[in-house]
Amino acid sequence: MDRKNFLKNSLGLAGVAVAAPNFLRSEIVSDENSGKNSAKNVLSCSVTNFETEGPFPTHTPSSLVQTNIVGDRTGVAFTMNIYIKNTNGNCGAYQGVLVDVWHCDKDGNYSEYGGTQMQQTNYTNYHFLRGRQTTDANGLVSFTSIFPGWYQSRATHIHVHIYKPDGTSLLVTQIAFPEGTNSAVYNVNVNGTSYGYTKGMTGYTYNANDNVFSDGTSNEMSTVTGSLSGGYILTHTIYVAGTASLGTQETSNHKNFKVDQNYPNPFRGETAFPIVLNEKSTVNIDLFDISGRKITTVLNQQKLSAGKQEIKMSQNQLKSGMYVAKITIENSKGIFNQNLKVLIN
């Protein structure tokens, strides 16, 4: 069952006022004497396999923005480090996208569901082992959890859904676990009885016999390190076909602009978005909250000359928290986007 797409140094010249909603003010400071940037090689990578969300997707992921997703569950300590990379951005880190994760508990049960033939234990009013985070500058999200159990017909796995900040779905996939007598899956289920893992491996469905992974696990297989006593750490990279990234987007190996992280960040009062343009461009900046809801337009299709630009934004009535600024630049090379985390104290 697939879920519907969820809503995803001022540098010289005088500032130019830009129209914005009453509670938000933006300003541009520019300098036409900009330098040129060196080219980078274009890398090649492929999108990670699409997989079904299954019958237990999170009902309202925007309400579960959290790093620790354990809830009231017990089990072997488990950390997930998931990197998101952009196949349309020279295979580089994809910053500012939303990542939802969910998995079963040690007994094979999911929260938010139950009381049915599919899952007899009723956890419809619980929300454990589900969470959402936004990727950082390295494309990374991390979650604190417990090691997943297993249930009939499925190997140990984790569900992942990745969205753009405006809520557009980028990819639904699943993460597979290494198997074998030296694996964490074997050790937890065979030797983890003191942690509550009582099923063992009898009746376990291995990856090769799991219908979801029937297309192979070559790009869905994680790396898992650690121990029962110290906990396990999963590391995995997922590739999505995102918007062309400003830092690595041109297939012609010519970078004709640069966007840096806004500063200060976090901020209270005012922050600035530094942009360097090598040619006249149209720039748009939209601000989204962490759930992917558009809050306002900071800069509305403003035509800016070549040079160093500094778009200033004031906090005013914006609440404290995390936001995502979507910066769109259009020029002779095409239309390009970059997402930045914006933190307000």
Side-chain angles (χ1 to χ4, degrees), residues 75-79 144-145 147 187-188 195 225-233:
V76 174
F78 184 56
T79 299
T144 299
S145 188
F147 199 91
N187 196 30
V188 167
Y195 295 89
T225 60
S227 64
L228 278 177
S229 58
Y232 287 98
I233 299 174

Side-chain angles (χ1 to χ4, degrees), residues 319-332:
K319 297 180 180 179
S320 297
M322 180 184 294
Y323 298 83
V324 176
K326 178 183 178 182
I327 301 173
T328 303
I329 293 179
E330 180 176 2
N331 54 36
S332 64

